[in-house]
Structure formats: structure tokens, C-alpha cells
Amino acid sequence: MKKMKIKTSVILLMGLLLMSGIPATAQQTVTLSLKQAREIAAERAFTVRQSDADVETARQQVKELTATGLPQVNASVGYNDNIGLPVQLVPGDFFGQPGQDIEVQFGTKYSGNAGLSVNQLIFSGSYLVGLQAARTFLAKSEEERKKSVVDIKKTVSEAYFLVLATQEGIRILDSTLAITEKLAGETRIIYENGLTEETEYDQLQLMVSELQVNRANALNQLSVARSFLKYHLGLPGNSEVILTQTMGELIDEMAPAALLDRSFTPGGNIDFRILKKQQELAYLDLRRQKSLYLPSVSAFLNYQTQAQRAEWDFFDPLGKWYSSSVWGINMNIPIFSSGERMAKVRQARVQVEKTHIAEEQVGSSLRIQHENAGSELRNALLTYGTTKQNRELSGKIYLRTSIKFQEGMAGSLDLMNAHNQYLNSQSQYISASLNVLNRSVAMESLLENPE
């Protein structure tokens, strides 16, 4: 039987996970259909949880930017202890002492102040456009979250299929090993009674040994495949996962032939939708750069009160506090920037043009992907049908050859050839089934239009 290959990157990934020191938790058993596995991954997968955090960050950024255009209120409180008051020299003429400089200290030892300021943005073109851009960025983050769900569903499905394929391979090995061990035992008795040659028994023992080695390798591959599935499901490494569906059931459930009949429009694809949001952001950035030519208007109100004390008695109700207040409007009018603003507008316009090129490129790429996916799925279905028939025929041949061997009508070489042919056809059937499932889920991902 051909060994089912698992990518080296997957094995390295699982090795890193095992060495990463993830805290041990109580073992749990999870029974999963493919639908349940996808639902769990859509909630618990690491990539989805990171996307949730990105969406929440974008949501808070909208609130942050919105707040900058609302009233801003600040208060201030200050206290000074003038340990050494500064000395000023005043001409003596002011004090009837001409020709002399008189040393004078102004101020009090203690002073305090309190103030309140209110600022309100009245008009800013860049603020209005920036608020739209923040909301569009939030919408883009939500679309990217949907893409992460689509991607993780595809990845988890492929991991689910791989576990099933490995389990099916082990089941075939177990069944074949049991038959071969039985034949070896019966042949040993016949050989001990002198009714057959020792070579016949040795050939069967060789087949048993090879099957045992293949089974051990398949069990190791199954362990890695299960760990890979649990990783993408976001489950603890020590949990046990039991899959409730077979590859044949999933092929019937996914209806690959029906997928080939579904229409495809690039505009519904999640990658295309994300690109459109990026295009909106480029347009808004162009508008923002243009808005920098417009004036901005803001209003302010300031109130301040202060006290001067020779003694520390700021809380004395009879002490005086001196207040002042002012309000006004500021207008900033851009006049000349030596071409800086114009250069930024042109750069933003180029970015808009690039998004149009990307739109055309992604649309063409998605159509090609859909065409290739359809072609690959058709070929996979054709191969699946052929290998299914070959598996049934090789099973009959192997069973008949086993019976003939027991009756002395076939030699060990005939049995070994039939045995290898049977295992090879089983391996091809499992690979073909796995290929149909993988191609089907790839087509699903292209056709999916998440809301």
C-alpha cells in the first residue's frame, strides 16, 4: 500500500506545538460531524479570534475619531510656593531717591489657579472624510473576518478529510493483516505436515511483516493528522476527537456534481469584496487630501481663576479669587504649501487607479481559479469512479486467489501479486476520494458568498 504523504510543514508545525508548553487541561472527548467541526472552527480558531480582535479595534477607532469632533473639556489646577521671590531693581526716582536703584520683590509667597477650557470643532473637511474612512475600514475588517471564517472552514475540512483517509487506510490494513495472518497460520500447519514448501510460508510471513510496518507508520500519520485538526479547531492538544462521518458519506453530502452546475460571479467572492472596500478607502483618501485645501473652523471657551496669598489660606471663604474668561472662534485657512498638497492629491489619485487595475486583475484571476477548480473537480470525479470500480475488482481477485491458495491451486507468488494489487487499488481509491473532497471544498470556498 502506498503511504499517504503528509507535508513536512505540517509535521514541523505539530512538533512545535508539542514543544510549546501549552498548559495541560482536563481531557475532553469531542464527537464531530464535518458541519460541527466547521462551526467550532468558525468560533474558536486562532485566526478567527484574531480577526475578531481586529474588528473590535476598528470599531473603537471609529469611536475615537468620532470623539475628536465632539466637545473637548479640560480642567487644570495649579499651585505655586514661591520659596524665593525674584528681586527687581527699580530706579529710585519713583521713591524720591534719585540716582539709586531700589531692590523690590513683587508677588506673594503662595499662589494658586484653576481653569476650565472647552473646544469644539465646527467644520473640518478632513474630519468628515476621515470619519467616513474609519467606518469603511470597519466594514473592511468585518469582511476580512468573514474571509478568515471561509479560509478556516476550508482548512478544517481538509484536515477532517485527511483524518478520515488515514483511518480508512488503517482499516484496510487491519482487515488485510488479519486475512494474511490467518493464511500464514494455516500455511505453517500445512508446511509442518510436509504438504507445501517452506517458501510459501516465508512469503506470507514477509507479507505480514510489511503490513505491520505499514500499519505502524499509518498510526503515526493519524496521530499527526488528528493533532493538526485539533489545532485548527482551537481545541486543547490532549482532547480526543471522534469523527462521525465517512468519506463516502461526505462525497454524497457535498454533491460535487451539483457544485459544477452552480454559477459563479467574481463580485460575490470574499476576496473581491475586500478589494472593493480597499477601493472605497482609496477614494476617501483622495477626498481627504483634497479637503486639506478647505479652511477649518473651531470654537473655544476658557475660564480661569487665581489667588495670591501671603499666608496659606486658599480655603478661607473670605479670601479673594480673581477670575477671567474668554471665548472665540479660530479659522485656519491654507494658502500656499509649495506644491505639497498637490503632490499628495496626485499620489492619492494614483492609488485609486491602482485599485481599478487590481479590480480587473482579481476578477480575471477568480474566473481562472473557478475554471481550474471545475476542471480539477471533473477529473477528480472521473478518477474516483474508475478507482472505485478497480477496488471492487481487485477485492474479488484477492479473495478468489486466497481461496485458490488455500486449496493449493495458486502459489504464494500469485497470492502476493493479488495482495499488492488489492492494496494498491485501495490506496488509489482512498487518494481519489480524498482528492474529490478537497476539490469540492475548494470549489465551495470560491462559490461561497458570506453575509
Side-chain angles (χ1 to χ4, degrees), residues 139-157:
K140 178 174 176 285
S141 298
E142 291 171 342
E143 292 288 352
E144 288 173 342
R145 197 264 183 196
K146 293 175 184 177
K147 174 175 170 56
S148 69
V149 171
V150 171
D151 290 344
I152 196 60
K153 283 183 177 180
K154 179 176 181 290
T155 301
V156 164
S157 298

Side-chain angles (χ1 to χ4, degrees), residues 193-231:
N193 291 327
L195 299 177
T196 188
E197 297 181 0
E198 184 179 7
T199 303
E200 303 291 337
Y201 173 67
D202 291 340
Q203 290 282 11
L204 288 172
Q205 282 295 103
L206 184 62
M207 291 166 61
V208 168
S209 298
E210 184 178 353
L211 286 169
Q212 289 173 339
V213 171
N214 289 339
R215 184 179 185 276
N217 291 335
L219 287 174
N220 290 333
Q221 293 178 358
L222 178 60
S223 177
V224 174
R226 280 178 172 161
S227 297
F228 188 53
L229 175 60
K230 287 185 286 187
Y231 168 75

Side-chain angles (χ1 to χ4, degrees), residues 67-85:
T68 61
L70 300 177
Q72 307 293 311
V73 182
N74 296 288
S76 62
V77 177
Y79 163 72
N80 295 317
D81 183 342
N82 299 307
I83 299 174
L85 290 172

